[in-house]
Amino acid sequence: DSGVTQTPKHLITATGQRVTLRCSPRSGDLSVYWYQQSLDQGLQFLIQYYNGEERAKGNILERFSAQQFPDLHSELNLSSLELGDSALYFCASSASGSDSGELFFGEGSRLTVL
Amino acid sequence: GIQVEQSPPDLILQEGANSTLRCNFSDSVNNLQWFHQNPWGQLINLFYIPSGTKQNGRLSATTVATERYSLLYISSSQTTDSGVYFCAVQGGKLIFGQGTELSVKP
């Protein structure tokens, strides 16, 4: 158990819909990262938050947004869903906001868009 | 950006065999981690190893940062070692290689 909690574990929805994925980091960790794992793209970095502020942005679509709340949990919002958004979405946390901290991953949220 | 290449892409072993997985990266990094993704999709931390050598049971890893590569050794492999092994490096964000898919046969 990494200490990072993600909900829901599985989600099935239809094209055009909107979903919210939730992540609670390990106790004391200030950084939260979101990753997408799809069959054709591998593990892709989406976005990082550190202590409530956006720290780095990767290949995140404009239809996607995220935030980190004062209690440090984070949510990833996916809207106008397309079939290609079906993937495993991981949240990770680390104590550091810098390049050198060790990341710990949650079990992922598997999204299926029909 | 930093490129991460893992080899081999696929590996089939008989139970009890040893193996070496390689990770090459194109630039200096402040962080390197090895993960095991099990058949259920979970990403499990194996090593945090920006440099040097570490051992954990049957697994060990060595990173030679000056030469920009890392090696993961698996000894006396077991069927539970099956899955995908990822190397990931951080120079701003954690960048994953494409992974080595390992299958250990009984």
Side-chain angles (χ1 to χ4, degrees):
Chain A
D1 183 1
S2 67
V4 179
T5 303
Q6 289 189 245
T7 57
K9 287 187 167 41
H10 301 276
L11 191 55
I12 301 174
T13 189
T15 54
Q17 295 299 303
R18 173 189 173 95
V19 298
T20 297
L21 309 181
R22 182 188 169 101
C23 170
S24 294
R26 293 188 318 154
S27 178
D29 282 359
L30 299 179
S31 272
V32 169
Y33 303 76
W34 286 97
Y35 282 82
Q36 178 193 55
Q37 186 179 30
S38 57
L39 283 175
D40 56 345
Q41 293 292 323
L43 270 154
Q44 297 287 315
F45 168 71
L46 295 179
I47 197 164
Q48 177 200 359
Y49 281 84
Y50 177 75
N51 203 20
E53 300 290 325
E54 183 182 305
R55 177 62 65 94
K57 196 175 247 188
N59 302 321
I60 188 166
L61 300 172
E62 286 191 9
R63 300 183 286 108
F64 297 179
S65 65
Q67 55 183 326
Q68 186 179 27
F69 295 86
D71 67 353
L72 301 177
H73 91 271
S74 178
E75 293 181 358
L76 178 67
N77 300 296
L78 315 175
S79 62
S80 303
L81 286 168
E82 302 175 358
L83 296 178
D85 297 328
S86 295
L88 191 51
Y89 291 84
F90 286 103
C91 169
S93 75
S94 75
S96 168
S98 72
D99 296 353
S100 58
E102 184 175 6
L103 270 67
F104 295 87
F105 282 77
E107 294 188 356
S109 292
R110 188 174 297 277
L111 173 66
T112 302
V113 182
L114 301 176
Chain B
I2 294 173
Q3 305 296 314
V4 183
E5 293 183 0
Q6 292 186 243
S7 59
D10 305 281
L11 188 57
I12 299 174
L13 299 175
Q14 283 298 126
E15 200 167 26
N18 303 328
S19 63
T20 300
L21 281 57
R22 187 177 179 103
C23 171
N24 292 331
F25 44 97
S26 60
D27 205 345
S28 59
V29 296
N30 298 317
N31 177 9
L32 188 143
Q33 292 185 240
W34 284 96
F35 296 90
H36 175 215
Q37 188 167 35
N38 64 23
W40 295 270
Q42 294 175 311
L43 274 171
I44 298 163
N45 287 43
L46 296 178
F47 294 102
Y48 169 71
I49 187 166
S51 64
T53 297
K54 290 186 177 179
Q55 179 151 11
N56 184 3
R58 296 181 296 103
L59 273 60
S60 65
T62 294
T63 297
V64 183
T66 53
E67 297 187 22
R68 299 180 185 167
Y69 73 89
S70 184
L71 301 174
L72 178 69
Y73 305 95
I74 304 174
S75 65
S76 304
S77 59
Q78 300 176 357
T79 55
T80 52
D81 294 333
S82 296
V84 182
Y85 289 79
F86 288 102
C87 164
V89 303
Q90 192 165 13
K93 59 189 179 187
L94 201 61
I95 300 167
F96 282 77
Q98 290 302 304
T100 291
E101 185 163 5
L102 175 64
S103 178
V104 181
K105 305 295 187 186

